[in-house]
Amino acid sequence: TFCSVWFPLDAMSNDVAVEYILGSHRWGVFQPRHFVDASPYEGTDHMPPMPDIRQLVQQSQARSIKFDVRPGDALVFDARIIHGSPGNTDVVNNSTTTSSSSTGQRRIALRFGGDDAMYVDKPHETSIPTPDILHSLKHGDPLWQSHEFPRLWPV
């Protein structure tokens, strides 16, 4: 069991807010892609590609929801829900870049796992843990056994 908690550090209107695809946590797992360049994670060619979400929403085969948010709000959702937001478009050194760290759309996202959350050693690249997170977990170990994934409160 995992949930994501998303905190806006700046007010964001609906047009730049995170968009959630209702019920998509029951659709299964799709090939993950990197935020920066949309390239697929290494070793995930066997996974199905993400469906065209815009098309599904336009054809009423899926429903999306967004919220105006301001500092102090917290959005809590199943970590498997398909979600995303447009990055900030900034002009830096005469070039346009897309990022989510400039002023105006700062946010923090945290992921929390239940006591039943276990480490699964995957044969391909994963987002969590990233290669730079060193840990001693072995396949099947509870996440809370590692100091990188601390238990926030006892059972």
Side-chain angles (χ1 to χ4, degrees):
T1 307
F2 279 97
C3 74
S4 291
V5 184
W6 191 91
F7 301 97
L9 301 178
D10 298 296
M12 287 182 235
S13 60
N14 197 301
D15 61 324
V16 293
V18 178
E19 184 172 11
Y20 301 91
I21 307 303
L22 299 176
S24 60
H25 61 292
R26 293 186 292 254
W27 293 1
V29 178
F30 300 102
Q31 182 181 47
R33 296 186 169 273
H34 296 103
F35 290 127
V36 175
D37 62 6
S39 63
Y41 283 22
E42 233 178 270
T44 61
D45 294 339
H46 65 284
M47 299 173 84
M50 176 74 71
D52 184 336
I53 300 299
R54 289 281 147 246
Q55 183 180 29
L56 292 175
V57 169
Q58 288 172 351
Q59 295 174 348
S60 299
Q61 295 176 16
R63 230 175 101 220
S64 69
I65 189 168
K66 297 196 269 187
F67 305 94
D68 290 331
V69 293
R70 59 181 194 257
D73 289 344
L75 300 175
V76 181
F77 56 96
D78 186 305
R80 298 169 297 172
I81 287 181
I82 296 171
H83 62 284
S85 64
N88 294 336
T89 303
D90 301 324
V91 176
V92 179
N93 298 329
N94 295 324
S95 67
T96 302
T97 61
T98 302
S99 73
S100 59
S101 60
S102 69
T103 10
Q105 291 184 22
R106 297 173 303 157
R107 65 218 31 147
I108 294 174
L110 301 175
R111 192 162 285 172
F112 295 92
D115 285 337
D116 60 343
M118 290 190 241
Y119 177 71
V120 176
D121 195 13
K122 303 267 184 167
H124 54 77
E125 180 183 1
T126 60
S127 62
I128 300 173
T130 58
D132 50 337
I133 295 178
L134 300 175
H135 60 82
S136 59
L137 294 171
K138 296 188 180 27
H139 185 83
D141 285 348
L143 285 184
W144 53 263
Q145 284 185 354
S146 172
H147 70 277
E148 287 83 7
F149 303 97
R151 181 179 268 176
L152 296 181
W153 56 85
V155 211

